[in-house]
Amino acid sequence: MSTVGIKELKNRLTHYLRQTKGGGEIVVTERGQAIAVIQPIRSASRLASREARLGRLASRGLAVLPTEKPLRKVRMVKVSGPPVSRTILEERR
């Protein structure tokens, strides 16, 4: 297990993620105080969030994570008056 400050983690993130992928754990500190642990998903004992559970399934090859944010629900709007297409055609003339 290694310890790293936030600035160093940001600067060398790929390096530390490779260590984690290899089974290592990283303690992240802020001004000398430990604030987080980065560990492989397989070794996490209790995954509370939905994202963490999905991440574990993805690491085993049982699920594929989405690559984009899901679309928000779109509320239909009712418009009164003539169709917009007619207005566009009239303005083109």
Side-chain angles (χ1 to χ4, degrees), residues 16-77:
Y16 290 109
L17 289 178
R18 278 192 201 118
Q19 280 186 359
T20 303
K21 189 176 180 181
E25 292 185 350
I26 302 184
V27 176
V28 182
T29 62
E30 180 181 46
R31 295 186 179 106
Q33 297 286 354
I35 60 169
V37 175
I38 301 175
Q39 62 184 7
I41 290 178
R42 291 181 202 99
S43 69
S45 59
R46 181 173 167 262
L47 299 171
S49 72
R50 176 178 48 200
E51 290 82 7
R53 290 192 306 264
L54 286 172
R56 176 178 271 176
L57 290 173
S59 71
R60 290 195 227 155
L62 300 173
V64 176
L65 297 178
T67 57
E68 297 179 8
K69 290 183 179 180
L71 296 175
R72 297 182 316 180
K73 281 190 171 182
V74 178
R75 194 180 81 198
M76 296 298 289
V77 177

Side-chain angles (χ1 to χ4, degrees), residues 1 4-5 11 22-23 42 47 51 59 63 74 81-82 84 91 93:
M1 182 181 315
V4 64
N11 291 338
R42 291 181 202 99
L47 299 171
E51 290 82 7
S59 71
V74 178
V84 175
E91 288 194 13
R93 292 182 188 158

